[in-house]
Every structure is written in C-alpha cells, then in structure tokens.
Amino acid sequence: MNHTRSSQLFQQAKASIPGGVNSPVRAFKSVGADPLFIKRAAGCHIVDEDDNSFVDYVGSWGPMIVGHCHPDVIAAVKSTMESGASFGAPTERETILANMVIDAVPSIEMVRMVSSGTEATMSAIRLARGYTGRDKILKFSGCYHGHADSLLVKAGSGAATFGVPDSPGVPADVARLTLTAEYNSLESVRKLVAENSSSIACIIVEPVAGNMGTVPPQEGFLEGLREICTQEGIILIFDEVMSGFRVAYGGVQELYGVTPDMTTLGKIIGGGLPVGAFGGKREIMEKLSPAGGVYQAGTLSGNPLAMSAGIATLNILKQPGFYQSLEEKSRTVAEGIAKAARDAGYPIYSTRVGSMFCAFFTKGEVHDWPTASQCDTKAFAAYFLAMLNEGIYLAPSQFETGFVSAAHGEAEIEKTIAAAAKCFKLIA
Ligand SMILES: *Cc1c(COP(=O)(O)O)cnc(C)c1O
C-alpha cells in the first residue's frame, strides 16, 4: 500500500505543527508508523491522500455513530450555515438540543453546552467544588477525562500510550488535590475516602472505561460508587463523553440503571462538530453563572452549526431499532475478531459494551489499568499495521476503543473478520 503523499504531508506538517498533529494519538507514534492524512470519508469508509480506502473503526474517536456524511446531518449544517455560523447570542437550537439531552439522560435536569469534552469535565469539576465547598477530587487510574491540569494525573488514552501520567506543566500543588483509585476496586475508593473525609468534592469516572481500551464496570462497581457518594456528600460525575448516546440512547446510566449527580457529554452530541456538555441536578446546575456564582463561559458555546449537527444526529439515533441493529453488528465484529484470534492460537482478551469494543493483547483478564498495562503493545502494533495493509483502520494504540457505526454493512464486517484472521496468523 502506497503512503507517499501522506508521508510528504506529515513531513510538511511537522515543520509548523508540534509533532505534525493537533492531538497526540493521531501521530501513530505507539505503532511506529507515520499517520495517514485523510482526504474524505463516507459511511464507514475513509480515504487517505494516496487514495487508499479503509473500513473505519475510529469514527473520529467516537462521534461518527451514524457514519460519515449522513445526508440528514449535512442538510442540517448546510441550512444553518446559510443563516449565520455564530452570533454570540442565544438561539432556539440550544434549547432544542438541551431538551433532547434532558429527555435522554436520566441524571440531567439542566445542561450547559461547551465546545469540547475537556471543557465539560473541567467545568463540571469546578461546579462540584463550588457546590460542595471542597477541593479534592477522586479519579481512576487509566480513565481519561480530557487534558485539564487536575485531570492529567494517571490518565489513559494518549497519556497512557506515551507514559506521561503526570505531564510537565501540571503544578504539583494542583495534582496533589487529585486522588487516584483503581478502576473496579471499591476497596481502593473506600480507603481514599476514609483518609480524606469531608474534603472530596467529586468522584469522576468513565462508567464504561474507553480510554485504556474498553473496560466494562464489574457488577456492583457503579452501584457501590453511588452508595459511597450518597453517604459522604460527594458529587458522583459520570464522564459519558464517549459512552453517552453510544452504548444506549441514555448512555451507561440508562444501560446499567445507576444515576450519577452530574454527567459530562461530548463527541456524539456534536455529530462531528466541536461540542461538549455537562448537566445534572437542577439544584447543582443553578449554582452556575449567571444563575449562580460558579463562573463558566464560551464564545462559541452552543454554536449553531454544532447544535444543528447534534440535533440531526440524535434524531437518527431516536429511530426505532437503531441501537438493536448496532448491537448486532458490533457483536458480529467483536466475536468475529475474537474467534479469528482463537483460530490462529493467538491469546487476546476481548471486551465489548454495545458498539465499543477492544481486543487486548494479553493472556490474562483486563479489569483495570494494572491489568491493561500488561498487554503486548509490540504485538498490537504489528497487528495494527497488518490490518491497515488489509484496508482496516483501527485506533493506532492498544489503549483505545474501537467504534462500530450504523453505516458498517455486512460486506465491510466480513472483510474485517477475514482481515483479522489473516493478520493474527501473520503475527502468531
Ligand atoms: C474524548 C474524551 C474526553 C475529552 O473530550 P475532548 O472533546 O477530546 O476534549 C473526555 N472524557 C472522555 C471519557 C473522553 O472519551
């Protein structure tokens, strides 16, 4: 497969953009290759600058659940653009999308729109601190909540890939306020809560972890967090930037029946345009400026184009049978890949929740960051490159989630499983 033009573009980009990319994991560093520059996409296919076509399981890292260039989303954004891209004044679309989010997500009674997931989690934490009058926060090792200072402590995603649990530039005084527990270990949470009684503002968690690969919550974990938070007056924040409208229309909280106090969203609710949101109980949200004193603002917040793309996307997701059909496709993909590995005698640990899936390159089970980090990342890199060569575009890191979209058809899924069979044999 020819990557000449992508490589040329990458060389040029490196001269003017740090590392040649605007977000680290795009650089393919952990798989030892140059990134592909993408020219266009449609449905579940993306095409690079050398005109190679791939079946896409990255989906812009989650947002593209209805596939690329869905005609409804294009029509909505085009018609909005023709009436103005941004006004810095309220528009009706913001209330429409807010109400769609409130109707969908059990914990959300009021919601504030922002422009990225990072902004959503950062602002949710400020609000939790303002509401409780406490300074400390508790997160989990391997969970990624965007790149705000207080959250870049033992984070997953790009930070896990690059082994930068504490980034230079994050003041020690800030990191000190972030406590880190092990995912799926209520024991580790109870210990930290006991040691820091009455000083923890919030527990923030990916209720299905997707940034250390895909790690589902074990039975009782989310229920246990809910109980601890209620007892201790701690705000429970579900970071559903990835899982919201992904594992179910109402996110993990609908699927598992556990309701947090606050929820952060992003990715899907922007339909591919820059968006984030955070919401929760009315009593908490009304402490937010200008209703209350906790400050938060944004020039492009609730941007008309993003709101239109989000509304159009959610309208597609609301159609009867959408998640059922996506579940069936995703099961076929994940089980097909797991079987291909077994048939090749290659050990992987396969996980999936809805259309989020992962093949961990390890003999053991994966429940948290210590077990995820046991994976053979060199073997993963070989598999990734072999799959790419077969026309399958996976996330370029072991510690990421694969995403199936509604646009993935039978033919593409068959092609994916056949490619996996070939590639596992190749590396076995
Ligand atoms: C992607 C992601 C974020 C960060 O969102 P950005 O839009 O990249 O800032 C936060 N939390 C989770 C769980 C995510 O998957």
Side-chain angles (χ1 to χ4, degrees):
M1 196 176 278
N2 178 19
H3 299 311
T4 314
R5 189 163 156 72
S6 273
S7 292
Q8 276 171 359
L9 290 169
F10 187 47
Q11 291 313 316
Q12 286 172 17
K14 279 199 283 194
S16 40
I17 300 170
V21 292
N22 281 310
S23 196
V25 77
R26 293 181 197 170
F28 279 29
K29 253 189 167 167
S30 73
V31 292
D34 284 354
L36 301 183
F37 274 57
I38 304 304
K39 185 155 70 176
R40 61 189 151 81
C44 70
H45 297 279
I46 55 167
V47 179
D48 72 10
E49 288 283 356
D50 293 285
D51 287 322
N52 303 304
S53 178
F54 303 89
V55 181
D56 178 23
Y57 289 98
V58 176
S60 185
W61 302 91
M64 312 315 297
I65 189 169
V66 300
H68 296 278
C69 300
H70 192 291
D72 294 2
V73 180
I74 292 177
V77 172
K78 266 191 180 158
S79 110
T80 300
M81 188 68 197
E82 277 160 7
S83 57
S86 181
F87 316 115
T91 61
E92 187 182 4
R93 285 186 200 91
E94 294 160 70
T95 315
I96 295 172
L97 186 56
N99 283 326
M100 290 177 92
V101 168
I102 289 165
D103 288 344
V105 184
S107 66
I108 298 186
E109 294 172 0
M110 294 184 99
V111 62
R112 167 68 52 91
M113 297 294 167
V114 292
S115 298
S116 71
T118 292
E119 240 188 296
T121 55
M122 178 186 88
S123 310
I125 285 171
R126 181 180 305 139
L127 183 53
R129 283 172 161 159
Y131 178 80
T132 57
R134 301 172 176 180
D135 285 343
K136 288 181 184 163
I137 65 169
L138 189 153
K139 75 178 284 291
F140 294 88
S141 174
C143 281
Y144 178 69
H145 305 291
H147 63 89
D149 281 356
S150 56
L151 291 163
L152 266 193
V153 180
K154 299 196 177 170
S157 192
T161 299
F162 298 123
V164 191
D166 295 299
S167 165
V170 175
D173 281 350
V174 173
R176 198 170 42 78
L177 295 174
T178 303
L179 311 170
T180 310
E182 283 315 334
Y183 199 76
N184 275 324
S185 166
L186 288 173
E187 215 36 63
S188 70
V189 176
R190 284 198 193 98
K191 185 167 177 285
L192 287 169
V193 169
E195 288 166 0
N196 296 275
S197 68
S198 306
S199 56
I200 301 175
C202 63
I203 293 180
I204 184 165
V205 65
E206 287 181 77
V208 167
N211 285 292
M212 50 175 153
T214 313
V215 180
Q218 288 176 333
E219 212 183 312
F221 178 59
L222 299 177
E223 290 84 349
L225 292 181
R226 175 68 277 175
E227 207 178 290
I228 292 167
C229 286
T230 304
Q231 269 167 14
E232 303 289 332
I234 297 170
I235 305 289
L236 179 59
I237 306 175
F238 278 6
D239 181 358
E240 300 225 45
V241 170
M242 183 187 290
S243 59
F245 297 92
R246 167 61 66 179
V247 299
Y249 191 67
V252 175
Q253 52 201 283
E254 177 195 311
L255 195 66
Y256 287 74
V258 177
T259 308
D261 302 301
M262 292 182 71
T263 299
T264 53
L265 296 167
K267 296 189 172 126
I268 287 176
I269 62 160
L273 274 78
V275 129
F278 62 105
K281 290 185 177 149
R282 182 174 300 276
E283 186 194 334
I284 301 172
M285 292 305 290
E286 282 188 331
K287 294 280 188 280
L288 198 60
S289 184
V294 178
Y295 196 71
Q296 191 281 325
T299 301
L300 293 172
S301 293
N303 174 262
L305 298 173
M307 295 301 102
S308 296
I311 294 165
T313 300
L314 264 48
N315 276 326
I316 300 164
L317 303 184
K318 276 167 78 173
Q319 288 164 9
F322 181 92
Y323 286 93
Q324 214 174 325
S325 151
L326 188 59
E327 167 76 19
E328 280 155 24
K329 286 176 191 202
S330 309
R331 188 192 310 124
T332 310
V333 172
E335 286 180 359
I337 292 174
K339 183 175 181 299
R342 265 198 316 277
D343 291 349
Y346 197 89
I348 64 157
Y349 184 71
S350 171
T351 57
R352 181 181 72 86
V353 179
S355 53
M356 294 168 62
F357 72 97
C358 183
F360 286 106
F361 280 56
T362 175
K363 287 192 181 84
E365 295 191 353
V366 176
H367 304 297
D368 52 17
W369 176 242
T371 47
S373 63
Q374 296 299 308
C375 286
D376 184 347
T377 52
K378 281 211 177 79
F380 172 83
Y383 169 75
F384 168 84
L385 293 171
M387 288 291 272
L388 198 65
N389 205 40
E390 295 295 318
I392 310 296
Y393 189 82
L394 301 169
S397 161
Q398 170 71 88
F399 306 116
E400 300 290 352
T401 285
F403 299 102
V404 183
S405 81
H408 285 79
E410 251 174 60
E412 289 93 0
I413 292 173
E414 261 174 43
K415 180 179 167 172
T416 305
I417 295 170
K422 190 169 165 187
C423 295
F424 279 118
K425 275 190 202 120
L426 212 68
I427 63 163

